[in-house]
Amino acid sequence: IVSQLAPFQIGIKKAMKIQQAFGSQALEVIKEQPYKLCDIKGFGFLTVDEIAHAFHAKLDDPKRIKSCLYYVLETAGIQGHLFLPAMELLDRAYTLLNHEKEAVAKEQIKEEIRALSFLSLFIAEKGNVYLPHYYTYERESAEAIVKLIAKEGKEDSTLEQAIKSTEKKFSIVLSASQKQAIKTSMQNKVSIKTGGPGTGKTTVLKVILSIYQQRNQKNKVLLLAPTGRASRRMAESTGYEQSSTIHKALGLFEQNKD
């Protein structure tokens, strides 16, 4: 196994995984059905595809198409996407499967997406395609947020004056929607602010933090963001040094991948 796969930087450790997975049929699998290697942890589609090309495997093998689709969705997940629009998934897979010459038609890829969805190995919803565990994460998170939002907030008659004082402090004039956003945040356990660049989200956050700190001087506030850059940006724009990525604050660290 090592001698056959040495040109692809497959060492003893990975060769042992292949031996454990396929036993005495290992060499036959490598030569005749190389895309089965994608089922072994640590063997990515790009490496397996290179091996398969060397052994002249069929480029329109359904297993190749399936492995490519998984790779595209898993890569998107690493980049922070829970799903991909079906057409984007199709286009990305088509590009990867036909980087030298057209070997796989788009209709073949569509058929494989349909088959994987029918078997519930992919979840297709509203034109988007998920890996099942990402779909579960999103659904459960949404349900938890809805339950928190559904809890009735407490009215606070002093907020209007607090907002006016903070406007004066920062020499700003808030819009009606910004004021409502601040009130919603201060009166409810969970709130979601959305909007494109320049719509005033950072200003709203800054005012919320200022009012909260005035009222709860003993409490510390921790700002969390998905990326280090976003975390630093929040700290710079609000003046609060207690800022971190979500995964660091939770003590989650990426495992060393084989």
Side-chain angles (χ1 to χ4, degrees):
I1 295 171
V2 173
S3 64
Q4 288 286 339
L5 300 182
F8 311 101
Q9 288 74 54
I10 302 298
I12 297 287
K13 194 174 181 181
K14 287 192 173 181
M16 288 176 65
K17 286 186 176 183
I18 297 172
Q19 177 68 27
Q20 288 167 1
F22 304 115
S24 62
Q25 303 298 312
L27 284 176
E28 184 180 334
V29 168
I30 291 168
K31 293 177 181 179
E32 304 296 332
Q33 297 175 289
Y35 290 103
K36 280 191 173 183
L37 295 176
C38 289
D39 296 333
I40 303 174
K41 187 177 180 181
F43 285 81
F45 169 74
L46 297 182
T47 299
V48 174
D49 203 37
E50 189 180 355
I51 293 169
H53 274 66
F55 289 104
H56 308 290
K58 289 179 62 179
L59 297 182
D60 62 350
D61 184 340
K63 180 71 173 174
R64 179 175 185 244
I65 301 171
K66 175 184 174 181
S67 299
C68 181
L69 288 166
Y70 269 102
Y71 171 77
V72 171
L73 285 177
E74 286 166 352
T75 301
I78 292 168
Q79 294 168 344
H81 305 292
L82 293 176
F83 64 84
L84 284 178
M87 290 307 298
E88 186 172 346
L89 172 61
L90 175 64
D91 289 341
R92 289 192 190 188
Y94 180 81
T95 300
L96 281 172
L97 291 166
N98 299 291
H99 56 87
E100 291 181 0
K101 61 179 181 179
E102 185 171 40
V104 181
K106 284 193 173 182
E107 191 53 47
Q108 289 174 281
I109 303 172
K110 285 181 183 177
E111 184 57 39
E112 196 61 40
I113 293 173
R114 283 193 286 265
L116 290 166
S117 300
F118 178 76
L119 294 170
S120 298
L121 296 172
F122 285 177
I123 305 296
E125 185 175 278
K126 297 180 180 178
N128 301 315
V129 182
Y130 298 74
L131 291 173
H133 57 286
Y134 284 138
Y135 181 80
T136 300
Y137 298 159
E138 184 178 68
R139 189 175 186 85
E140 289 180 351
S141 297
E143 288 173 352
I145 289 171
V146 166
K147 286 178 182 178
L148 288 168
I149 290 175
K151 293 181 180 179
E152 191 173 342
K154 296 180 180 179
E155 288 292 329
D156 187 343
S157 59
T158 66
L159 267 179
E160 192 66 46
Q161 183 56 47
I163 292 171
K164 287 180 180 178
S165 299
T166 310
E167 282 182 305
K168 187 175 181 180
K169 174 184 175 181
F170 293 130
S171 300
I172 57 175
V173 177
L174 298 168
S175 68
S177 61
Q178 285 177 310
K179 289 179 181 178
Q180 186 56 50
I182 293 162
K183 290 177 181 178
T184 300
S185 294
M186 300 299 293
Q187 294 176 162
N188 296 275
K189 291 187 178 297
V190 173
S191 59
I192 300 172
K193 311 289 175 279
T194 64
T199 54
K201 299 187 300 298
T202 300
T203 301
V204 167
L205 176 60
K206 192 173 180 179
V207 173
I208 290 169
L209 289 169
S210 178
I211 294 174
Y212 181 83
Q213 287 294 83
Q214 287 174 30
R215 296 179 169 194
N216 305 274
Q217 294 182 8
K218 293 182 180 180
N219 294 348
K220 289 184 178 181
V221 174
L222 176 61
L223 304 179
L224 302 179
T227 67
R229 178 181 291 181
S231 172
R232 290 190 295 273
R233 174 66 183 141
M234 274 204 304
E236 291 167 1
S237 59
T238 60
Y240 281 76
E241 294 182 2
Q242 292 290 321
S243 179
S244 170
T245 58
I246 298 170
H247 52 277
K248 183 177 180 181
L250 293 175
L252 302 177
F253 298 94
E254 192 171 316
Q255 296 295 314
N256 184 31
K257 294 185 178 177
D258 208 356

